[in-house]
Amino acid sequence: MPSGVLASLWRRGSVRRPVWLPPFWHSVIVALVLVAVCLPFLYVIWRAAQVGLERSIALLWRERVAQLLFNTIALMVTVTAIAVFLGAGAAWCIERTNLAGRPVWSVLASLPLCIPAFVSSYTWVSISSIFEGFGGAVLILSLATYPLVYLPVAAALKGLDPALEEVSQSLGRNRWQTFRGVVLPQLKPALGGGALLVSLHMLAEFGALALLRYQTFTTAIFEEYELEFSNASAALLAFVLLLLCLPIILVELRMRGRTQLARVGRGTRRATVVLSLGRWQWPVLAVFAAVAILGLLVPLGMLAYWLTHGTSAGVDWGALAASAWDSLSLSLLGALCTVLCAIPVVLAAIRHRARLGIWLDRIPYAAHALPGLVIALSLAFFSISYVSWAYQTWLLILLAYVVLYLPLAQVSIRAALEQLPAGIEDVGHALGHGSWSVFCKITLPCIAPGVAAAGALVFLQLMKELTATLILAPIGVDTLSMQVWSATNNAAFAAAAPYAAVLILISGIPVHILRKTVYFDAQ
């Protein structure tokens, strides 16, 4: 049977799609990645079990733990809701309306990713202490994380064929019914993925909250380790944090559902119909301007102020260059390792339909909710106990980066793979090509934009990573984030400014790649 006819039959459902077994090398990589991801869980469970049942109940049944639980959930829910509202709203206005200056607003909506949350926090706190606490945390973290929702939703809107909406409207449905029945189901994976990342990020956030003096489980865990040297009590709090992330993952899985994103057909996609904002043009512009001022102008303005005042004039340029090199080296290698590990995991969950495929794809998300401190300590414990030669080496810190940021790579790669019809790869298998040949000649070229976006996103986050690097970085390694944290922790705002400025400038590179990658500019 000709390959074109075979592919056509598979697309129409006349022939059941075969399930191709993954090659041995693929299964080995997935197994090793899962073992590494599960190490922090084993460490947390083992340490928490050492506390004992009676003492665990006594430790958890305290007013302070109840307050930490309330603070953590309140921050997570509020920031996620605001980030989804701002990100999805910005994506809709930029991609589907006649908003004035849409290309400019598209750039400005992505730029907050360049500014680490703890850098924004220190600039706001340097203005006044009134920004400390819950209100300041919600304001700063919402402005810092809404691009995580904006980028995937904007990509989904660009990739959505307007013909689907035209068919719905031709059947007598109005715009609201068309949006609810046609557009929203296609946006659910992007919305759910973005909201999941924001929620888990809030569970694990430390640097910004420590500067803002807002107590959550993560800051309490750090205090238990650093001040009281109580590994067991801290692990118990981390175990509660793990339990908190489970319902979040379940909700995201329900939102994702079984939506079919791959589009198979001939011809070009129809041009998108742009809606007129009418009298809402100026109010919407005012909201965009306010978000840009609060999220960009204020932090960058205060950073510029501290660059020109105080001790920043006497910066050690040699130390600054060394820190920039350490940050670039660790981030580039960490991003490469993370992407190489994410590709087989996503393929195993989506293409090969591995057993427990859904949880195979979601276990790393649970690890993403753990503070970097817990992951670093768990890897340090296992390395000292079983592979002591790996302690204080680049290998261990790169492994920590993979465990921490594997979900970020999964989001981009999964989105690209879901838009690739499986029948194309099936034809390659049917023509006698092996799994490696099909992957190199068909799958990888088609998902390359998603892989590039994954690498850029992970690199961006690694440039800002703090807690795991503080513990696992080899002797002599001082990243830009470590220098900023050391200075701001001592209220030396001017001394931190040069390192923060270089960190923001370098972070602009992956943000530019994210915007220009075809995955986020789907046509």
Side-chain angles (χ1 to χ4, degrees):
M1 183 180 292
S3 61
V5 176
L6 184 61
S8 177
L9 288 174
W10 279 338
R11 287 198 299 264
R12 296 174 185 175
S14 301
V15 177
R16 177 176 295 181
R17 176 179 178 264
V19 178
W20 307 102
L21 294 177
F24 177 75
W25 62 266
H26 181 274
S27 301
V28 170
I29 294 176
V30 171
L32 291 176
V33 171
L34 290 180
V35 168
V37 170
C38 289
L39 287 180
F41 301 143
L42 296 175
Y43 175 79
V44 168
I45 294 172
W46 177 62
R47 284 293 192 183
Q50 290 183 327
V51 179
L53 181 60
E54 293 185 3
R55 190 181 171 207
S56 296
I57 295 175
L59 287 173
L60 293 178
W61 199 259
R62 292 182 296 167
E63 183 178 351
R64 180 172 182 265
V65 175
Q67 185 63 49
L68 290 174
L69 181 63
F70 176 81
N71 289 353
T72 303
I73 294 177
L75 180 70
M76 178 190 67
V77 172
T78 307
V79 170
T80 302
I82 295 175
V84 168
F85 174 77
L86 291 178
W92 178 264
C93 291
I94 292 172
E95 302 300 331
R96 289 301 183 91
T97 73
N98 65 339
L99 179 70
R102 288 189 295 167
V104 176
W105 294 121
S106 176
V107 174
L108 294 178
S110 307
L111 285 181
L113 285 177
C114 298
I115 308 176
F118 63 87
V119 172
S120 292
S121 300
Y122 113 71
T123 59
W124 281 93
V125 170
S126 68
I127 297 175
S128 173
S129 60
I130 63 173
F131 295 107
E132 296 177 353
F134 178 74
V138 168
L139 171 68
I140 295 166
L141 293 176
S142 297
L143 294 172
T145 56
Y146 84 87
L148 293 176
V149 180
Y150 163 74
L151 287 173
V153 173
L157 286 171
K158 287 180 180 180
L160 182 61
D161 194 339
L164 300 174
E165 300 169 62
E166 294 173 4
V167 171
S168 175
Q169 292 177 358
S170 70
L171 296 175
R173 295 182 178 182
N174 58 35
R175 286 182 177 177
W176 168 246
Q177 291 173 327
T178 298
F179 175 80
R180 186 177 59 184
V182 176
V183 179
L184 187 58
Q186 294 288 322
L187 297 182
K188 279 184 178 180
L191 281 170
L196 177 65
L197 289 179
V198 174
S199 298
L200 296 181
H201 184 67
M202 289 303 100
L203 291 180
E205 178 60 47
F206 167 72
L209 298 179
L211 291 172
L212 295 171
R213 303 184 186 280
Y214 184 74
Q215 286 284 309
T216 63
F217 272 113
T218 301
T219 58
I221 290 170
F222 189 87
E223 289 177 358
E224 291 284 347
Y225 278 118
E226 292 294 308
L227 301 181
E228 300 181 20
F229 304 100
S230 179
N231 289 2
S233 299
L236 190 62
L237 295 178
F239 183 74
V240 176
L241 206 56
L242 271 180
L243 296 180
L244 283 178
C245 79
L246 292 179
I248 300 172
I249 295 175
L250 291 174
V251 170
E252 192 273 340
L253 284 174
R254 187 174 182 83
M255 283 187 65
R256 179 177 293 276
R258 298 182 180 273
T259 304
Q260 178 60 255
L261 298 180
R263 175 177 174 265
V264 181
R266 297 181 179 179
T268 59
R269 184 174 60 88
R270 287 177 175 269
T272 302
V273 177
V274 177
L275 303 177
S276 175
L277 288 175
R279 62 181 181 179
W280 288 99
Q281 180 78 233
W282 288 109
V284 171
L285 283 173
V287 173
F288 270 83
V291 171
I293 290 172
L294 295 176
L296 295 172
L297 187 59
V298 172
L300 294 178
M302 287 305 302
L303 192 59
Y305 170 82
W306 287 116
L307 278 171
T308 55
H309 291 74
T311 58
S312 59
V315 63
D316 185 342
W317 295 105
L320 180 61
S323 296
W325 173 253
D326 288 341
S327 293
L328 280 170
S329 302
L330 282 174
S331 299
L332 285 171
L333 287 174
L336 177 63
C337 293
T338 304
V339 169
L340 291 177
C341 291
I343 292 174
V345 171
V346 174
L347 285 173
I350 297 179
R351 286 295 190 254
H352 299 300
R353 302 297 180 187
R355 292 184 178 181
L356 302 177
I358 292 178
W359 291 107
L360 178 69
D361 191 38
R362 284 302 179 264
I363 287 175
Y365 285 86
H368 190 65
L370 286 174
L373 174 70
V374 174
I375 292 176
L377 287 174
S378 65
L379 294 180
F381 170 78
F382 284 109
S383 66
I384 293 173
S385 302
Y386 303 104
V387 282
S388 58
W389 57 266
Y391 185 64
Q392 283 288 308
T393 66
W394 281 49
L395 175 63
L396 194 61
I397 193 171
L398 292 176
L399 181 60
Y401 287 165
V402 171
V403 175
L404 275 169
Y405 296 111
L406 189 63
L408 295 181
Q410 287 177 257
V411 168
S412 298
I413 296 172
R414 182 187 181 104
L417 190 61
E418 285 179 335
Q419 292 177 346
L420 175 65
I424 296 178
E425 298 164 298
D426 295 336
V427 170
H429 284 292
L431 293 177
H433 291 277
S435 297
W436 177 251
S437 178
V438 170
F439 172 76
C440 293
K441 296 180 179 180
I442 299 177
T443 307
L444 186 58
C446 291
I447 67 172
V451 173
L457 186 57
V458 174
F459 174 83
L460 177 65
Q461 295 300 318
L462 289 178
M463 285 294 299
K464 302 183 285 188
E465 206 288 319
L466 180 62
T467 50
T469 308
L470 284 171
I471 294 176
L472 296 179
I475 297 175
V477 172
D478 286 308
T479 65
L480 293 169
S481 296
M482 293 168 65
Q483 295 283 9
V484 172
W485 170 255
S486 176
T488 54
N489 203 34
N490 295 320
F493 300 130
Y499 296 94
V502 174
L503 181 59
I504 292 173
L505 289 175
I506 297 176
S507 298
I509 299 174
V511 171
H512 176 73
I513 295 174
L514 283 172
R515 292 197 64 257
K516 293 300 181 181
T517 301
V518 178
Y519 166 59
F520 286 123
D521 195 20
Q523 297 296 336

